[in-house]
Each structure stands twice: as structure tokens, then as C-alpha cells.
């Protein structure tokens, strides 16, 4: 029970981190999650969370790398293959070698093999953190492609190097020749196994589909289990599980190219499911680091070998060394131009600096260091394990801070992101253009369906604008509709168009609502609106009306009131005294009520015609929205990240539309 409670607490903390980031956007989500993890340790929990390094590797790294492989931009990988491979392979191995010796010289308390393990963990950049950068700063497109491709491949190369370094530390045996041959054989074996098991998985899925088992839930469960099964199979067979899941992930990305309804439905579900899984796993890694940090910090602080100030300076020095090596390597690479003129050299310098500062460390670095074994083969404790984790956490924090605060300064005005307010306004304009397009589709047959769909878009516009003044206008307009109903009801009583008894009962309800909203005593005094004995006597006579007669009288009065309110709203709308979204929404609500009241019995054919019109118009609206999104991106009003998000939302809406159509 205690384990279940702490799992729930961790998941709640992951959700809370997004909420905190909403109010403090300048602080990265990983930093918030680390702090929340430290806060959890202060709670009076009766369960001590102990990490199993082998399970940690399987539970976190396997699905994270599999997901990275699935979402890899294969065209960009091939187009930018030279710089990506130089960074993802060349820089990783250079970092491990150079920084390993440097760290061992800087901190002799960390053995050489353990130093190699730490620098191998620090070598990979973080795919999620790199993707998050684009939301904060407008990184050049080519540089972003290189960063995304590098973060995928260097995860594998860095983790493979990490595993070899840890094995050398644990066993005490290491040979460059045997390690090199073993690296090639184990790596190739992992890639081949990942591809073979993916083919086997596709064979099983094809067989299930031939049996008529098209259940998306079943196929999604198989997909979720795939990275864990492949990683476990690779470890059992003695090949590299990291490369196995990466190659399997890339192979899976080709599987979605087939165009059929089942695959399309699975693709939509898969995207949303994996986004939740990856968000949770990334969050849990940083939360777990936060739960481990207090004890690690206490151990480091109480250590006589390293001073408190020194250990913090070591994290900063290590960060500068890692990014400095990355900068030198980026300068040496022939990525951007071969022309050595002064102007282009300045461009190369700036691009190399952007590439260096964008090299954020994150989940893979953390997951690697937290998976370090507690003991060596001879039973002794793994040397400086707490110090290694502390140094890794320090480098992660420094790189996050650098990318969040220094990178925007470097990019200057050219690299500033599209302002959030501007993007929100662009989204509002997209939806308003859709509403304009839908208004052009109105016919007498689809008028109500068009109004309902326009109301949906108007609701989305109001959600985006979050305008308190508009909310006040809407409340005021709703209050006006109640007053109009009251006014028309009194007029109906005066003209004796409806039963006085029914009219006064209805008026009583309206007065109660008006008093509740306005606290105006005028409406409280009128809770019994009949003022003369002849009116009272007439009402008492009409009490004897049958239930059917009362219902007919009330329906008649409601139809008169609704017609009057719709007329008044249209007058305000024509004068431009109220916003189109607000007024249209209220008009639609009253038109629905009117349609319901004027139908004596359910009209199945009319309902079917309404549903068909809604589906046709929804498809038109989706296409209009897609066209407007592309147009806004091309003229620079929304960022590429925003465009991707909006188009992904359209895919979800299309999926829901297909589900409704059956």
C-alpha cells in the first residue's frame, strides 16, 4: 500500500510541475520537478524508495529511446547525416576520452573508469529538452534539425560507451582492442536484433488482423510492451539493448506510412498515448533525482575530501569544459561553409556557439547515472557514486540555465520567439476565418447545424482570448435576456395572450433569477406579481387547468419569449453593440430551445438530416482551419512548433469525427 501511495504522489507531482511552470514559465519544468522531488522527501512517508539500477535502465531508458526513434525525422537525418554523425558519434567518443582523463585529473577520488562512465553519461544531449528550446527561442531551422538528429543517435552511442565504462569499473578489466571489437559486435547485434524483432512483431500484428482483431486497445498494448520486450531479449542474448530499441523505434516509424483506417486510428491513439507515457517518464526521472539529492548532498557536504564550495565549482567547471569541447568540435566541423572570408567565419562562429549552448543535458544523463550499480564484483561499494550523481545533476542544471537565459541573449532580436500573445491572436484569427468561411456555407437546410458548429468555434475563440471584459459582457447579456423574457411575459399578461396563472408562475421564476444575479429589491418585491384582486381571482380560477392545458400554455409563453429574445439579440448584433461570438452563442441556445418546443414529437428524419449536415460542415471547417494554419505559418505569424501542435489537434478532431460517423 505504501508503494502505491508513493507512486500516486509522484504522478501528482509530475502533473503539479506543469501547473507550476504555467505560473513561472521562466523556470524549466525539470528544475521544478527536481525541487518537488526534494519536497517529497520532507513529507512524513513511511516508505523508503530504493532504486534498482537494472530495473531503472529497463523502465526508463528503453521506452524513452524507442519513442525517440519512432519520432525521428528520417528525411532530416539523411539530409544532415554528416554533421549529425560527427556530433553523435565523433563528439561523444571524443568527450568520453578527453573529459574522462580531465575529470580524473580534476578529481582523483573518482577512478579513471568511473570518470569515463560519468563523461559518457554527460555526452548525450536531451531530445525533450532540445525540443522544448524551440518553444522559448527561435533556433535556425538547419541547426534544429542537427540537434534533433544528434539527440537521437548520441543517446545510443553515449549509453553504449557508458555501459562499457561501468563494466570496466565493476570487473576491473579493460582492453581497448577487445572493447573495440566487442563494441562493434554488440552494437551491430543490437541493431539487427531490434530490426528482426520488429519484423516478428509486425508478423504477429498482421496475423491478428487476419483473424479480424482490429481492436485499437489491443494493438496499442502490444506497441507499449514492444520496447521492454526487445530490451530484455537483447540483454538476454548479450547484445546491446539500447541500440536494439532505437533501431526498433526507427523501424516502427515506417509502419505508419500505410494508409488504411485501422492504421490511421492507431496512429492517432499512439501519438496521444506515447506523449503521456514520455511526459510521465521524463518527469519521474527528475522527481527521482530530487528524492535522491538530499541524501547525496548530505553525503557530499559531510565529506572531508571535497569542500562544499569546491564541489559546486567542479560542476560549473565540468559544464564549461563539456560545452567548450562541443564548441571547438562544432567549429572544426565543415557544416555551414567552406568559404573562409571574415563574414562567413563570423557566421560559423555564431552557429557553433548556438550549437554548443543548445546542447542541453537531461533525462538520459540522469537515467544513466542513477542506474550505476551500488557494488563492484568484489563486493566493495561503487567508488564516488554519490559524487558522480551530484556532478551529473549539477551539469544538467547549469546547461538548462544556460540554454534558458544565455541562448536568447545570443540569438538577439532575430532569434526571439514569436510572442505568446501574438500567437494567441493568430490562433483567434485562424478560428475567425473559419467562422467566416462557414457563414458562406449557410443554406436554409443547414442553418441550425452551421450555427451549432460556429458556436463551437466561438467557444474556442473565447477560451483562447481569456478576456475578463468579454466574460463580463456575456454575463451582462445573459442578464439582458432574462429582462427581455420578463418584459415579454408582462406584455403577454397585459394582452391576455396566455393564462395569467401560468404567466405569473413563469414570471416568478424569472424574478428569482434576476434577484439572485442583481440583488435588486425590485425583483424580490415582485415575487408575487399579481397586484389586483381581479388578477388574483383570475389566477385562482385558472388553477383548475388540467396538466395538459398548463403545459400547452407554458409552451406557448416560452415560444413567445424566445422569439422576442432572439429578435432583440439580432438587433444588438446588427448594430455591432456586442461581440459576434457571444451573441451568436446565445442566439444558438435560444434557437435550439425554440426548435425543441415547436416539435410536437421527435422528428427522426430531421435529426438525421441535421447530423449529416453537421458532419459535412465539420469536414469543411477542419479543412478551412488546416488551410489557415498553413497560411499563418508561411507569413510568419505562428512558429513551426505552434503549427505542429495545431495540426496535431486537427488530427484528433478528424479522428473524433470518424468515430461519430461510425
Amino acid at each position: 500500500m505504501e508503494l502505491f501511495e508513493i507512486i500516486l504522489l509522484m504522478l501528482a507531482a509530475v502533473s503539479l510541475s506543469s501547473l507550476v511552470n504555467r505560473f513561472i514559465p521562466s523556470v524549466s519544468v525539470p528544475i521544478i520537478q527536481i525541487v518537488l522531488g526534494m519536497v517529497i522527501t520532507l513529507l512524513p512517508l513511511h516508505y523508503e524508495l530504493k532504486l534498482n539500477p537494472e530495473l531503472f535502465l529497463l523502465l526508463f531508458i528503453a521506452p524513452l529511446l524507442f519513442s525517440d526513434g519512432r519520432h525521428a525525422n528520417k528525411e532530416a537525418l539523411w539530409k544532415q547525416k554528416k554533421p549529425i554523425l560527427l556530433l553523435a558519434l565523433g563528439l561523444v567518443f571524443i568527450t568520453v576520452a578527453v573529459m574522462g582523463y580531465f575529470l580524473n585529473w580534476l578529481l582523483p577520488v573518482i577512478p579513471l573508469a568511473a570518470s569515463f562512465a560519468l563523461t559518457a553519461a554527460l555526452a548525450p544531449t536531451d531530445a525533450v529538452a532540445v525540443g522544448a528550446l524551440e518553444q522559448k527561442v527561435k533556433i535556425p531551422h538547419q541547426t534544429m534539425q542537427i540537434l534533433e538528429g544528434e539527440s537521437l543517435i548520441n543517446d545510443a552511442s553515449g549509453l553504449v560507451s557508458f555501459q562499457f565504462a561501468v563494466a570496466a569499473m565493476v570487473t576491473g578489466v579493460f582492453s581497448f582492442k577487445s572493447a573495440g571489437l566487442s563494441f562493434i559486435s554488440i552494437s551491430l547485434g543490437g541493431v539487427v536484433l531490434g530490426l528482426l524483432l520488429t519484423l516478428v512483431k509486425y508478423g504477429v500484428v498482421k496475423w491478428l488482423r487476419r483473424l479480424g482483431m482490429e481492436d485499437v486497445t489491443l494493438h496499442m498494448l502490444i506497441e507499449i510492451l514492444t520496447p521492454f520486450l526487445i530490451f530484455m531479449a537483447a540483454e538476454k542474448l548479450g547484445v546491446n539493448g539500447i541500440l536494439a530499441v532505437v533501431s526498433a523505434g526507427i523501424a516502427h516509424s515506417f509502419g505508419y506510412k500505410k494508409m488504411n483506417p485501422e492504421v490511421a486510428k492507431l496512429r492517432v491513439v499512439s501519438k496521444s498515448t506515447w506523449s503521456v507515457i514520455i511526459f510521465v517518464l521524463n518527469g519521474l526521472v527528475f522527481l527521482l533525482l530530487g528524492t535522491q539529492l538530499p541524501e547525496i548532498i548530505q553525503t557530499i557536504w559531510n565529506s572531508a575530501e571535497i569542500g562544499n564550495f569546491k564541489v559546486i565549482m567542479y560542476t560549473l567547471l565540468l559544464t564549461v569544459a563539456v560545452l567548450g569541447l562541443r564548441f571547438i568540435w562544432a567549429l572544426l566541423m565543415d557544416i555551414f561553409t567552406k568559404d573562409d572570408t571574415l563574414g562567413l567565419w563570423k557566421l560559423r562562429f555564431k552557429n557553433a556557439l548556438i550549437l554548443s549552448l543548445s546542447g542541453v543535458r537531461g533525462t538520459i544523463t540522469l537515467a544513466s547515472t542513477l542506474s550505476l550499480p551500488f557494488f563492484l564484483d568484489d563486493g566493495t561499494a561503487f567508488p564516488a557514486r554519490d559524487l558522480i550523481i551530484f556532478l551529473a545533476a549539477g551539469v544538467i542544471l547549469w546547461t538548462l540555465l544556460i540554454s534558458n537565459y544565455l541562448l536568447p541573449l545570443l540569438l538577439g532580436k532575430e532569434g526571439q520567439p514569436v510572442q505568446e500573445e501574438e500567437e494567441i491572436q493568430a490562433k483567434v484569427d485562424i478560428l475567425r476565418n473559419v467562422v467566416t468561411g462557414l457563414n458562406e456555407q449557410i443554406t436554409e437546410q443547414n442553418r441550425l447545424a452551421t450555427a451549432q458548429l460556429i458556436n463551437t468555434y466561438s467557444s474556442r475563440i473565447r477560451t483562447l482570448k481569456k478576456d475578463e471584459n468579454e466574460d463580463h459582457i456575456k454575463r451582462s447579456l445573459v442578464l439582458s435576456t432574462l429582462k427581455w423574457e420578463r418584459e415579454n411575459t408582462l406584455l403577454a399578461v397585459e394582452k391576455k395572450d396566455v393564462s395569467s396563472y401560468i404567466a405569473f408562475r413563469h414570471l416568478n421564476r424569472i424574478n428569482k433569477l434576476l434577484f439572485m444575479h442583481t440583488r435588486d429589491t425590485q425583483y424580490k418585491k415582485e415575487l408575487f406579481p399579481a397586484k389586483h384582486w381581479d388578477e388574483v381571482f383570475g389566477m385562482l380560477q385558472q388553477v383548475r387547468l388540467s396538466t395538459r392545458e398548463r403545459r400547452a400554455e407554458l409552451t406557448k409563453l416560452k415560444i413567445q419569449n424566445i422569439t422576442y429574445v432572439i429578435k432583440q439579440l439580432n438587433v444588438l448584433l446588427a448594430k455591432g453593440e456586442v461581440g459576434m461570438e457571444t451573441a451568436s452563442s446565445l442566439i444558438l441556445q435560444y434557437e435550439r430551445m425554440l426548435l425543441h418546443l415547436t416539435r410536437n414529437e421527435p422528428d427522426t428524419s430531421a435529426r438525421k438530416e441535421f447530423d449529416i449536415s453537421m458532419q459535412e460542415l465539420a469536414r469543411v471547417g477542419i479543412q478551412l482551419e488546416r488551410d489557415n494554419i498553413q497560411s499563418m505559418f508561411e507569413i510568419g505569424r505562428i512558429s513551426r512548433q505552434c503549427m505542429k501542435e495545431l495540426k496535431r489537434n486537427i488530427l484528433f478532431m478528424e479522428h473524433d469525427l470518424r468515430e461519430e460517423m461510425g
Side-chain angles (χ1 to χ4, degrees), residues 312 315-317 319 323 393-403:
I312 295 174
T315 61
L316 181 58
L317 185 59
T319 303
L323 295 182
V395 172
I396 290 169
L397 288 171
W398 285 121
T399 55
L400 283 171
L401 292 171
I402 288 169
S403 65

Side-chain angles (χ1 to χ4, degrees), residues 6 29 40 104 115 140 174 187 196 200 209 231 362 367 372 393 398 434 448 476 520 581 591:
I6 192 123
V29 173
I40 288 174
N104 179 249
S115 298
F174 183 78
S187 299
L196 286 175
V200 171
R209 287 203 162 116
F231 188 89
L372 284 171
W398 285 121
V434 174
L448 193 59
S476 176
D520 189 337
E581 290 89 10
E591 284 184 341

Side-chain angles (χ1 to χ4, degrees), residues 629-657:
I629 289 168
Q630 186 63 35
S631 175
M632 288 291 182
F633 172 68
E634 289 174 359
I635 63 177
R637 289 196 62 188
I638 58 174
S639 64
R640 186 163 64 98
Q641 185 70 23
C642 180
M643 178 191 68
K644 287 181 179 179
E645 177 192 343
L646 293 176
K647 286 189 174 181
R648 186 165 57 245
N649 292 340
I650 286 179
L651 286 175
F652 293 147
M653 289 191 293
E654 285 180 325
H655 173 259
D656 286 343
L657 184 61

Side-chain angles (χ1 to χ4, degrees), residues 478-494 503-504 506-515 518 520-527 529 531 557 560-562 564-565 590:
V478 169
L479 204 59
S480 296
T481 61
L482 287 173
K483 290 178 180 178
W484 290 330
E485 284 193 55
R486 176 178 175 274
E487 178 184 322
N488 195 68
T489 303
L490 288 171
L491 187 63
V493 171
E494 185 180 332
F504 283 132
H506 187 63
L507 193 60
N508 186 273
R509 285 194 291 269
I510 295 174
N511 283 333
K512 282 182 179 178
L513 287 171
L514 285 168
F515 177 71
T518 64
D520 189 337
T521 55
Q522 170 194 351
Y523 303 115
K524 189 175 182 180
K525 291 175 183 176
E526 290 185 1
L527 289 181
K531 297 179 176 60
L557 177 61
Q560 290 179 3
N561 283 348
I562 290 170
Y564 183 72
V565 169
Y590 278 96

